[in-house]
Amino acid sequence: MERGYVVDNNAELLALEQVVYDVVVVGSGIAGMTVAIELDKRLKVALLSKAGADEASTYKAQGGMAVAVGADDSAEQHIMDTLNVGQGLCRREAVSVLADEGPSALEFLLQQGVAFNKNGAAIALTREAGHSLNRVAYHYDFTGRHISETLFTKVKEKDNIQQLTNYFVVDVLTQDGQGCGVIAIKDGKLVVLLAKALVIATGGYAGIFASSTNSRAASGDGIAALYRAGAVIADLEFVQFHPTAFCAPDDTVFLLTEALRGEGALLVNAAGHRFMPEYHPAAELAPRDVVSRASVKEIERLGRPVFIDCRHLEKKYLADRFRQVYTKLTEYGYYLEKDLVPVSPAAHYSAGGIRTDLWGRSSVQAIYACGEAAATGVHGANRLASNSLLEAVVFGRRVAKDINNQLPSKQLVTTLVLPGNNVACPNGDLLRLGVELNRAAGVVRSGAAMTSLLAAITGMSKDGFDGDLGKYTRKVNAFQLAKLLLQAAIARQESRGTHFRSDYPEKNDEYFQRHILLQWGKGVWLE
Ligand code: SIN
C-alpha cells in the first residue's frame, strides 16, 4: 500500500517512547465521545483532542438531532426525506441504519443525561429544511454544547478512558496495511501512541473556507492523515453552505440556526421582498443548497445582503427558545423581534471524508472513522438538516460494537518502520487559501476558477520548515484537503446537491450518479 508522512522517517522518531493502549480515539466531539463511552470497559482507551471542546463542531451545533420518534413519523419517512435531499447519491443501506437506529441513539443520549426540550411528557420536535414533518429533538438553540458537556461528564466517570487534551495527531501509523498507532505532538514534543484499533473522529474541513460557521480547527486533519495512510477518501466536493450565517463587522461568523426558519422566520432581500417562494415550493424550508443559491442570487442582483426576518415572532419566545442566538445578536445591536438581521451563506458541513462501511471501518484495517470525518454514504450530495448529530451517535455506537467484538483477537504491532514519501508543504497563506476557496469552490463553482486555483496551489514553492511541526502539519493538511476537494469538484462535471457548477448547471444521472473517490498513489476515480 502506498502512503505518505509529514514526519521524517528517521531513527529519532522510531526511538521515541511508545505508550500502549487498546484503542486510540482521535477527536472528542459527539462521535469520539460516543465511541469511547460505548467501548468495553476492559479496554484501555485514549481519547485525544487537539483543542478545547468549544472549538469542535459538535459544540457549535445549534439546531438539534433528527430522529423519527414523532407520533406521525416513521423510519421510512425519515429515509425518504434523507434520500430526497441527498439527490441520488445516498447509500440506501447506510440511510436505513441511520433512521432505524435513530430512536435507540436518542435513548442512549437520554441515558447519558442529555435533556432534550419537552412538550409535556414527550420530546419536543422542531422543523428544519427538507423534513416533511417536525423531527428535530433539541436543547434550546445550543443542542451541541449541551450534548458535548453531558457526554464529557460521562467520559470523566469512566476509569478506562484517558483523556489526552492538546494532543495534535501529525500522522497515523500503519504496518503491513494495518493501523497501529498515531504520532502526536504534545507541548511541542512528539509522542507515539500505539493501539490495536484507531478511531478517527476529527470532524470535517469546512473550516478551511474563509467564510465558515466552523472554527478554523475544522481543517480536516484526520482526513488528511488517513489520506496519507492510504485510505480511500470519498465525496469531498460536497461541502454544505448554511444559508443563514451572521457575519459580524469584527469578522466573527455566527450561525443563525435553521430552527428559526422552522419556527416561522422568513428571508427577505434588500428591497424587503420575501423571495424564497419564487425559488421553491417549500420556500424558507427548501433544502439548504436551494436556499443558499437563492440568497446568493438575490445578494448579487441587488448588491446588498439578504436578511432574516423574525419580527412577527414574540420577543419573549425568541429570547427563550433561541437564547444563544438572541444574546449573541444583542452584542452586535440586533434584536430579533424588531430588526432585520443580515445573513449570508457560509461553509458549514463537509459531507465527504474517509470512506467507511456500515460499521465505520475505513479501507485500512483496524482504522475506523465516524462523525463528520467519515463518508458513511448517509448524506449523498447534500445532508438533511440535523442528520449529522444522529449519524455521529448511530455510527459511533456501531464502531464501538465492532471493536468490542473484534479486539480480543487482535495483536498489537510494536516494531515500527515508516515506509513512504514525505509530503511537501506549499508556501502559501491559509487565510488567502480560504478566501480563494470561497471564490472558486463556494456556493456556485466554475471549472475554470477551480482549475486555476488548483494549478496555483500545485505550482507553489515548498515551504521551509521553521521548527513548529504542529503549524507545519496544519498547513500541509489544509492545502492537501483543498487540493483533493478541488480535484473532486473539477471531476464532477454536473450540478447536484451542494455542488453547483455554473459551467455544468444540470444534473447528469447517466454518468455522475456515482461517487468520486481519491487515494494516495491512485488519484481520482468514479465508482
Ligand atoms: C442549524 O442549527 O441550522 C444547523 C443544524 C445542522 O447543521 O444540521
Side-chain angles (χ1 to χ4, degrees), residues 62-63 128 240 242 255-259 288 348 383 385-388:
Q62 296 179 6
E128 286 188 30
Q240 183 176 73
H242 197 294
L255 180 69
L256 302 189
T257 175
E258 194 154 286
R288 274 183 202 166
H348 178 63
R383 175 179 62 90
S386 287
N387 263 356
S388 44

Side-chain angles (χ1 to χ4, degrees), residues 249-306:
D250 62 3
D251 285 341
T252 303
V253 178
F254 185 73
L255 180 69
L256 302 189
T257 175
E258 194 154 286
L260 279 165
R261 280 173 284 133
E263 301 286 346
L266 305 174
L267 288 172
V268 297
N269 65 18
H273 174 66
R274 184 183 171 209
F275 56 90
M276 273 316 299
E278 285 143 35
Y279 287 90
H280 195 280
E284 281 80 4
L285 289 180
R288 274 183 202 166
D289 60 311
V290 177
V291 183
S292 288
R293 278 197 299 281
S295 299
V296 165
K297 225 173 187 171
E298 294 297 314
I299 292 167
E300 281 174 4
R301 203 167 64 80
L302 296 176
R304 291 177 49 206
V306 295

